[in-house]
Amino acid sequence: VRYLPSQARYKIIIIDEVHMLSNSAFNALLKTLEEPPEHVQFIFATTEPHKIPLTILSRCQRFDFKKIGLSALQSRLRYIVDQEKVAISDTGLAAIARHGGGSMRDALSALDQVIACCGDKVEDEALQHLLGQVSSRLLLATVTAILQRAPRELLELVRQVDDLGHSFRQFCQQLVALVRALVVLKVVDKPAELLDFSEAELVGLRPLAAPACLEELQRVLTLLIRTEAELAVSSYPRLTMEVALIR
């Protein structure tokens, strides 16, 4: 900190995950922040600002960054795969963007892994398997079987999920997101603003949502949310999932 920058006007010091500093380190840093040299700018990055002492926060300007929207993430991923001449569907890119959780860095890391494993041609099923997600085909088939009251088909679908080695909690979480999307489609004119689904995926979901009863969808959603919590502590996850879907 004491030394002047060799070229630029300011020396920029970036501390990533600053909440990981010990109290002793924060106290040592505080002395510099109370009387910072004119040639130094500090940037502190953190995902847990509540862990930073108030004495530090009171001497900083705070900027909260929002998540990047699904469409923006997907557009950027599309640009990259086109430049790299990688064949991948919009559905696949939407899955990667969702996996990123609003973070461009995480989405690009996931894309890197997918290309490393699949090469220049990425199939949707292989992509979802790499991301640890249950395939869209199985999810749609499950929701369809629920709405058609087809317990035999549901038990067969649970068997397939188990055979593929997927986590039943992950399966339930994806079902919750899918049923929520159906509810939003029933009650909102422009659902794309509220859902982490691409426009192509929403087009595929509308025929499923149209004949469904809103009250029934809400009941299914409530039951799935309760089941997801039960799966976190269940010794028999497959049985828990089977009973919930039959109910």
Side-chain angles (χ1 to χ4, degrees):
V1 170
R2 291 177 301 177
Y3 301 110
L4 290 169
S6 57
Q7 292 181 343
R9 180 180 175 187
Y10 291 106
K11 177 179 287 186
I12 309 297
I13 298 175
I14 302 173
I15 304 181
D16 196 13
E17 303 296 350
V18 72
H19 63 271
M20 297 294 289
L21 292 183
S22 65
N23 286 331
S24 299
F26 272 127
N27 288 334
L29 183 61
L30 183 58
K31 294 178 182 179
T32 302
L33 291 182
E34 286 174 340
E35 297 180 8
E38 291 184 1
H39 64 273
V40 174
Q41 298 278 355
F42 286 95
I43 297 176
F44 302 143
T46 179
T47 51
E48 301 182 54
H50 58 279
K51 291 185 177 180
I52 299 175
L54 290 175
T55 50
I56 300 290
L57 283 175
S58 64
R59 288 165 173 80
C60 300
Q61 286 183 316
R62 176 169 169 170
F63 300 92
D64 290 313
F65 291 94
K66 298 178 182 178
K67 290 182 177 181
I68 301 174
L70 183 77
S71 59
L73 280 173
Q74 193 173 346
S75 297
R76 183 62 182 169
L77 293 175
R78 171 55 66 193
Y79 170 78
I80 292 169
V81 295
D82 286 348
Q83 293 293 310
E84 297 293 329
K85 295 181 172 56
V86 175
I88 182 170
S89 69
D90 288 338
T91 302
L93 289 179
I96 294 173
R98 268 195 302 276
H99 187 77
S103 165
M104 183 64 75
R105 176 190 62 186
D106 292 349
L108 290 175
S109 295
L111 179 63
D112 247 357
Q113 293 169 10
V114 167
I115 293 174
C117 291
C118 298
D120 294 341
K121 188 173 183 181
V122 182
E123 301 292 343
D124 289 349
E125 291 271 342
L127 182 149
Q128 289 174 323
H129 184 71
L130 281 170
L131 297 178
Q133 298 175 350
V134 180
S135 72
S136 301
R137 178 186 59 80
L138 280 175
L139 292 170
L140 289 170
T142 302
V143 173
T144 302
I146 291 172
L147 297 177
Q148 292 178 351
R149 292 174 169 79
R152 183 179 179 85
E153 290 181 29
L154 286 169
L155 291 175
E156 172 58 25
L157 288 164
V158 170
R159 184 194 65 77
Q160 290 181 38
V161 171
D162 196 22
D163 288 348
L164 290 169
H166 291 298
S167 158
F168 281 110
R169 193 175 182 195
Q170 171 73 24
F171 176 48
C172 193
Q173 288 169 349
Q174 287 183 252
L175 284 175
V176 167
L178 186 54
V179 176
R180 173 182 175 266
L182 297 182
V183 172
V184 173
L185 281 167
K186 296 286 287 185
V187 298
V188 176
D189 292 332
K190 296 181 179 179
E193 300 171 0
L194 298 172
L195 296 172
D196 282 339
F197 285 84
S198 66
E199 193 57 47
E201 289 174 315
L202 291 178
V203 169
L205 291 178
R206 283 191 173 91
L208 191 59
C213 170
L214 182 59
E215 288 74 18
E216 184 178 11
L217 288 175
Q218 289 173 319
R219 185 179 66 83
V220 170
L221 190 56
T222 300
L223 183 57
L224 286 172
I225 291 171
R226 192 182 310 142
T227 302
E228 194 274 338
E230 292 172 1
L231 284 167
V233 295
S234 176
S235 300
Y236 305 97
R238 177 170 173 171
L239 178 60
T240 303
M241 195 77 242
E242 287 174 336
V243 170
L245 292 178
I246 290 171
R247 193 183 304 155

